[in-house]
Every structure is written in structure tokens, then in C-alpha cells.
Amino acid sequence: MILHGFVRVTIKVRNSCVDFKKGMVFSMYNLELKGKTIFVTGAAGFIGSNICKALLKDEDIKLIVGIDNMNDYYDVNLKEYRLKELVSYNNFKFVKGSIADKALIDNIFNEYKPDIVVNLAAQAGVRYSITNPDAYIESNMLGFYNILEACRHSYDNGAKGVEHLVYASSSSVYGTNKKIPYSTQDKVDNPVSLYAATKKSNELFAHAYSKLYNIPSTGLRFFTVYGPAGRPDMAYFGFTNKLLKGETIQIFNYGNCKRDFTYIDDIVTGVVNVMKKTPDPNENGVRYKVYNIGNNQPENLLDFVDILQQELVNAEVLPKDYDFEAHKELVPMQPGDVEITYADVDELVNDFGFKPDTSLREGLRRFAKWYKEFYS
Ligand SMILES: NC(=O)c1ccc[n+]([C@@H]2O[C@H](COP(=O)([O-])OP(=O)(O)OC[C@H]3O[C@@H](n4cnc5c(N)ncnc54)[C@H](O)[C@@H]3O)[C@@H](O)[C@H]2O)c1
């Protein structure tokens, strides 16, 4: 456990921190991934596939069971592309199906007895929750409830059961909170989209299950995650597709928006760190914790578009003489959107000595390079 409240010099080694000032070595983690069976939901998704890849490459785990329903909310080819690499590992098993299917989830738990569960399957996106709310209730509410129930019953008859449940929440739970940066100590009772309401509900459900059945659970509020093979429904990817087709991109709130863009590799490091540490009991004795994972550096939307343009030209996705100004339209705010997202990551730094730090330019450069290769 990291000690709080004093300045110190530390270096991280594999499973511990060395504190030079105090000459102490103390363990940061309390859970080994080595030899474990890990159940990852949303395994063909952007974040899920990258987490599986990192675990398969870097951690000596026994088995990852990944589930995904491969829905067509966005191009299924991308999901298949991400899966292709994962299924080449002998210790990766893919199940195509929905977490909303209770019998299927129960069967997976009975057969594989996962030690750690990482729930990333969800209907993502704020705007789509206006047009297709059913998908959010099915995957984010019913699906997550099935995962919690399966975790609960994993301890039946004295079984060791699930050692840690890690699940995706979202920065959208902060709604239109005025206080920035957003801290996990802030009240988040005013969601402005159904998507945000489902994510906040997940945190409440997890708390109740952690309290009732002693399931160690950690929720992660991700802030605008981007990178190679990311989600085409997100601005950086959607803008690129449109610009390439010669269409006009819409910049919401007339460009007066700020986003804490977080590069995928930073998210992966954060999630894998978190998986290795179950929360200590809180003041109510509940092993429950929520962290923000964000870059802690919000970028203006217009600056973001500017950097994206430059990197698309550098990667030769778009020609040098592309008339960007002719393909931009400044439009009002969309329902469900918020003006700013800005993560306070002090707790992440305190508990793991880690903070996302990939610059937007570097991250967009890697995205543009990947885009060029993938689509040509
Ligand atoms: N990417 C971000 O910026 C961001 C920000 C905040 C929170 N999140 C959350 O992180 C998680 C992962 O997001 P992502 O960006 O990788 O999204 P994604 O859409 O790429 O991944 C989610 C995956 O879950 C699958 N899925 C959806 N419903 C399912 C169901 N009922 N059963 C099985 N699989 C199902 C989808 O097919 C998809 O492959 C989600 O919970 C999302 O809400 C993401």
C-alpha cells in the first residue's frame, strides 16, 4: 500500500514501490495475475481487445475468456480485426454472445470459474442513447446485473470465487458539474444522458453487491479514450472518415468544448494496475472503489481538430493542400453533451504511482499512421 501525505521519491518495480526517502519497500499490489483465469466482457471492443492483448503478452495468466456479442453499432470488421490477434493465443477463448443472456453468463462462470472479471461490454456513446435507449438498458443494466449475480454466486458452497470485479464507468457521470477537475469525491447525481445514468447505476449496483456479498469491486471512469483501431463513432475517427470522403465535419458548441483525451495505452496500463489491487475496505467496511482514468489535461476542441488535421496530412491520409476550412461547420451543442471533461487523477497517482501522460499529438499521430495502413 502506498503511504499518503508526504513527499517522497519512489520508483516502481514489478509489484512494489521502493521509497528511497524512508528506505522502505512496500507492496502496491495485493493480487497476482499469474496463473489466473480472467473473464473479459466486450473483448472485441476497443478497450477490451487492447486489455486482453496486453494481458496475453505481458502477464503469465492461465486463460482469458472473452465475450462479445459483435453488434453492429459500428463496423463489425473492426471488431473482427481486433479479435484476430487475440484468438492466435492458446490461452484466449472467445465466446460470441450477450452478457444480457443470464444462462450463458452462468454457464461461463460454472465452466471457467474466473478469478478476475473485467466488465467492459456496454452500449457506449451518448448520442445513440437518444435514438436507441433499449440497447443501453439491455447491455448496461441487465447485462451488468447478470455479471454481478454471477460474481455473487461464484462464492457458493465455500468456493474461492471472484477475487476482483473491475468494470467500466464513464466520465459522463459528472454530467454538467461545474467544479473542475472532476473528482471521485464530487456528487454525480445529475446525469444528462441515459448512457450516463446507466454508468452511474452500475456504480450503485456494484456498491450494493460489494456490501451484501463482499465482492471486491473497482469502477473506472474513463475519459474520452482514443487510439489506433478505436471507435468510429468518436470524433477523431468520424472526422477522419468524413474529411476523407470530402464531407463536412460538425464541431459542436461552436468549438467551445474541452475534452480530456486519454490515449488507449495509458488506459490499458491503468486498468491492468487496478486489476492487481483489490480495494481496501472503506469507512463502511465495503471493498469498493472508483477511480478516474483521464489525461488530466483537457484540450480545446478546435485545437484538437487542428492537431488531427496536421497528423492526417503527415501520415498522408489527406493531401497537403486539403481545404480544411471548407469542410468545417460550427454548430450548437447536442442534447446529452457536456462542455468539458477534466479528470482529477490524484487517487490513481496516490494508489498506483501512475498517471496517463501520452500527448494528444503523439496519440493522434499513432492513430493517423494506423488509419493509413488499415484503410489502404
Ligand atoms: N472509449 C471511451 O472513450 C469510453 C469512455 C468512457 C467509458 N467507456 C466504457 O468503456 C467500455 C469499453 O468501451 P469501448 O470504447 O471499448 O467501446 P466498444 O463499443 O468498442 O466496446 C464495447 C464492446 O462490447 C460489446 N457489447 C456491447 N453490448 C454487449 C452485450 N450485451 N454483450 C456482449 N458484448 C457486448 C460490443 O460489441 C463492443 O465490442 C464501455 O463500457 C464504455 O461504456 C468508454
Side-chain angles (χ1 to χ4, degrees), residues 188-208:
V188 285
D189 293 336
N190 302 296
V192 294
S193 67
L194 180 66
Y195 170 67
T198 63
K199 289 295 177 180
K200 167 69 183 173
S201 305
N202 287 172
E203 294 180 2
L204 295 171
F205 281 25
H207 187 274

Side-chain angles (χ1 to χ4, degrees), residues 30-37 109 113-117 151 154-155 160-166 214-218 275 277-279 287:
N30 59 11
L31 195 58
E32 278 270 347
L33 300 188
K34 189 176 172 195
K36 295 287 166 71
T37 296
F109 272 70
K113 305 197 174 7
D115 302 297
I116 298 164
V117 176
C151 289
S154 71
Y155 310 115
K160 179 174 69 54
V162 171
E163 293 174 74
H164 196 186
L165 166 65
V166 178
N214 205 17
I215 306 168
S217 77
T218 306
M275 285 171 70
K277 185 187 181 307
T278 55
R287 291 195 291 164

Side-chain angles (χ1 to χ4, degrees), residues 179-191:
K179 178 187 150 287
I180 49 170
Y182 296 152
S183 159
T184 49
Q185 308 301 323
D186 299 340
K187 257 176 104 73
V188 285
D189 293 336
N190 302 296

Side-chain angles (χ1 to χ4, degrees), residues 223-287:
F223 283 66
T224 317
V225 189
Y226 73 103
R231 277 182 23 214
D233 62 320
M234 294 185 69
Y236 68 102
F237 204 137
F239 285 179
T240 304
N241 286 340
K242 284 196 163 178
L243 290 169
L244 197 58
K245 284 192 226 154
E247 294 172 8
T248 301
I249 59 172
Q250 293 192 318
I251 301 175
F252 296 121
N253 205 26
Y254 307 102
N256 289 320
C257 279
K258 283 188 160 192
R259 287 286 174 277
D260 209 345
F261 293 98
T262 316
Y263 188 64
I264 183 66
D265 291 4
D266 291 331
I267 291 288
V268 169
T269 307
V271 174
V272 174
N273 281 344
V274 165
M275 285 171 70
K276 294 176 184 170
K277 185 187 181 307
T278 55
D280 298 323
N282 65 16
E283 60 282 7
N284 300 315
V286 187
R287 291 195 291 164

Side-chain angles (χ1 to χ4, degrees), residues 12-281:
K12 278 194 291 171
V13 289
R14 193 169 164 77
N15 271 324
S16 53
C17 248
V18 182
D19 186 326
F20 284 111
K21 201 166 171 206
K22 294 219 150 197
M24 292 165 59
V25 178
F26 47 94
S27 176
M28 190 193 301
Y29 305 123
N30 59 11
L31 195 58
E32 278 270 347
L33 300 188
K34 189 176 172 195
K36 295 287 166 71
T37 296
I38 302 173
F39 181 41
V40 179
T41 76
F46 174 38
I47 299 176
S49 59
N50 278 287
I51 287 169
C52 289
K53 197 160 65 179
L55 291 171
L56 291 163
K57 269 164 90 175
D58 304 334
E59 308 286 340
D60 194 8
I61 51 162
K62 181 175 162 195
L63 178 69
I64 291 184
V65 180
I67 188 172
D68 203 297
N69 66 359
M70 307 295 280
N71 70 58
D72 63 359
Y73 166 61
Y74 62 77
D75 187 0
V76 178
N77 286 318
L78 266 175
K79 297 183 183 182
E80 280 164 357
Y81 162 80
R82 299 179 190 131
L83 265 185
K84 213 167 160 188
E85 190 178 345
L86 301 181
V87 294
S88 69
Y89 287 85
N90 288 332
N91 54 346
F92 180 81
K93 157 99 191 150
F94 180 64
V95 178
K96 184 175 174 187
S98 173
I99 59 167
D101 180 345
K102 196 172 187 4
L104 176 64
I105 296 303
D106 290 347
N107 284 342
I108 290 172
F109 272 70
N110 287 335
E111 186 172 350
Y112 297 103
K113 305 197 174 7
D115 302 297
I116 298 164
V117 176
V118 183
N119 187 62
L120 300 162
Q123 181 54 57
V126 167
R127 290 184 200 117
Y128 190 61
S129 65
I130 311 274
T131 53
N132 195 354
D134 290 3
Y136 292 76
I137 300 303
E138 185 174 320
S139 295
N140 305 12
M141 304 301 290
L142 186 57
F144 189 58
Y145 159 75
N146 288 339
I147 297 293
L148 287 171
E149 273 290 297
C151 289
R152 164 193 176 180
H153 289 295
S154 71
Y155 310 115
D156 287 356
N157 306 315
K160 179 174 69 54
V162 171
E163 293 174 74
H164 196 186
L165 166 65
V166 178
Y167 62 95
S169 181
S170 163
S171 62
S172 64
V173 300
Y174 292 105
T176 52
N177 277 11
K178 294 287 173 272
K179 178 187 150 287
I180 49 170
Y182 296 152
S183 159
T184 49
Q185 308 301 323
D186 299 340
K187 257 176 104 73
V188 285
D189 293 336
N190 302 296
V192 294
S193 67
L194 180 66
Y195 170 67
T198 63
K199 289 295 177 180
K200 167 69 183 173
S201 305
N202 287 172
E203 294 180 2
L204 295 171
F205 281 25
H207 187 274
Y209 271 70
S210 292
K211 167 80 181 155
L212 286 168
Y213 309 112
N214 205 17
I215 306 168
S217 77
T218 306
L220 298 173
R221 294 177 180 169
F222 298 137
F223 283 66
T224 317
V225 189
Y226 73 103
R231 277 182 23 214
D233 62 320
M234 294 185 69
Y236 68 102
F237 204 137
F239 285 179
T240 304
N241 286 340
K242 284 196 163 178
L243 290 169
L244 197 58
K245 284 192 226 154
E247 294 172 8
T248 301
I249 59 172
Q250 293 192 318
I251 301 175
F252 296 121
N253 205 26
Y254 307 102
N256 289 320
C257 279
K258 283 188 160 192
R259 287 286 174 277
D260 209 345
F261 293 98
T262 316
Y263 188 64
I264 183 66
D265 291 4
D266 291 331
I267 291 288
V268 169
T269 307
V271 174
V272 174
N273 281 344
V274 165
M275 285 171 70
K276 294 176 184 170
K277 185 187 181 307
T278 55
D280 298 323

